[in-house]
Amino acid sequence: MTVVDALWRRPPRVPARAPQGAVVVEARDVSLSLGGVPVLRGVDLAVRAGQVLAVVGPNGAGKSTLLGVLAGDHPPERGSVTVDGEPLYAWSATELALRRGVLLQRVDVSFPFTVTQIVRMGRAPWAGTPAEDWDDEVVAGALAETDVAAFADRVFTSLSGGERARAALARVLAQEPAALLLDEPTASLDIGHQERILGLARLRAARGDAVLVVLHDLGLAAAYADTVAVLSAGRVAASGPPAEVLTAERLTEVYQYPIEVLRHPGTGAVLVIPRRDGPGDPPSPSPDPTDTTAASTT
């Protein structure tokens, strides 16, 4: 009997709740090339129970590819990925689905499923377990949390982009995995739903889930993440609390665009904005700190 046969034939192992701060999903020295081009280079990353980890970086930094590696969609060329302390391949597909849920940037559906049917698919890993008795309650809760209950009976393909994104997230929430891996969950949403979805991520973390969210919006990362990992050219340029990692100098260097980091005058919260010299004017080039040829003034 092969290892794969053994995984499929054994009853699925239902996960126990991880203690606060425990590593649920981890990448160690992960490297990967796609089409002969290096995309990830020696990445170390830990997604911990009870915390929100935001992965940010410019286009092409490797954010979505890293999420795919953590989810098991892209085997790394070097390094390892573990879930609950064991390699990805040690879990059956059902066991893995009980431990991590994945929201992709784009969700395509070819059949005329309703929103409720799509969300109920998230309960499939729990079939045959005592948790199956709670399916209706969990699905209803996920529909309400993502603000899609009002169109629960509509066909998924009839929804707008933002509505589809929220319905797809509801499916992942209904799955009730120990770790949520969310790729740009706010990309097609209005500002109110952006705040609501990131608030949900914080709520799930408060309940003990491990949450990784890939974001382009640095302001949302600063506001909702416990830890921010900045990717640059496939490497982790910095990782830590938002106030320590999201500095003007670092972000300007990574994004190759002048960025300012301010403190809110009332709350002290970190605010990240592009520098603008004036209405309609491009920003002046940032001085190169390595340039020693420029004349100094006193």
Side-chain angles (χ1 to χ4, degrees):
M1 181 184 299
T2 67
V3 173
V4 173
D5 289 335
L7 290 175
W8 278 102
R9 293 185 182 185
R10 77 181 183 204
R13 294 172 287 173
V14 177
R17 176 63 67 181
Q20 180 82 9
V23 176
V24 180
V25 181
E26 184 174 21
R28 297 178 182 174
D29 194 29
V30 163
S31 295
L32 177 67
S33 296
L34 296 176
V37 178
V39 179
L40 299 175
R41 310 164 188 255
V43 172
D44 293 314
L45 202 70
V47 192
R48 299 180 180 274
Q51 297 182 11
V52 176
L53 167 64
V55 177
V56 302
N59 293 335
K63 302 183 298 297
S64 294
T65 301
L66 175 59
L67 186 141
V69 170
L70 294 174
D73 295 333
H74 301 303
E77 295 170 340
R78 190 184 73 199
S80 63
V81 175
T82 57
V83 175
D84 275 357
E86 296 191 31
L88 279 171
Y89 59 77
W91 305 106
S92 69
T94 297
E95 290 171 333
L96 202 55
L98 292 172
R99 287 164 173 80
R100 63 97 183 97
V102 183
L103 177 68
L104 301 177
Q105 287 188 40
R106 178 175 175 176
V107 178
D108 293 318
V109 175
S110 301
F111 299 96
F113 293 115
T114 66
V115 170
T116 297
Q117 289 172 326
I118 291 290
V119 176
R120 189 171 290 276
M121 291 176 187
R123 298 301 297 165
W126 296 99
T129 73
E132 186 178 29
D133 296 339
W134 309 329
D135 282 1
D136 290 344
E137 179 182 345
V138 172
V139 168
L143 290 167
E145 285 183 317
T146 54
D147 195 27
V148 296
F151 46 86
D153 295 328
R154 285 178 55 186
V155 175
F156 182 83
T157 53
S158 72
L159 304 180
S160 69
E163 291 169 340
R164 291 190 190 192
R166 283 150 46 206
L169 176 61
R171 177 191 59 77
V172 177
L173 296 181
Q175 190 177 328
E176 292 195 309
L180 297 169
L181 307 179
L182 311 178
D183 195 359
E184 289 290 343
T186 62
S188 57
L189 303 184
D190 59 64
I191 189 169
H193 284 105
Q194 288 179 15
E195 295 292 323
R196 182 167 186 159
I197 294 310
L198 269 296
L200 271 177
R202 283 237 54 90
L203 178 61
R204 289 289 170 142
R207 294 176 184 175
D209 292 343
V211 182
L212 179 148
V213 55
V214 172
L215 291 172
H216 271 299
D217 192 315
L218 297 172
L220 289 175
Y224 287 99
D226 298 292
T227 301
V228 175
V230 180
L231 282 192
S232 178
R235 301 183 187 275
V236 177
S239 180
E244 296 178 9
V245 169
L246 300 177
T247 66
E249 294 78 12
R250 176 176 290 118
L251 296 177
T252 296
E253 179 182 359
V254 168
Y255 283 85
Q256 293 295 292
Y257 195 90
I259 294 175
E260 294 182 286
V261 178
L262 312 173
R263 292 285 185 169
H264 190 281
T267 65
V270 175
L271 304 176
V272 183
I273 60 174
R275 199 185 82 224
R276 303 181 180 97
D277 292 339
D281 294 331
S284 302
S286 297
D288 183 354
T290 65
D291 183 4
T292 59
T293 63
S296 62
T297 61
T298 58

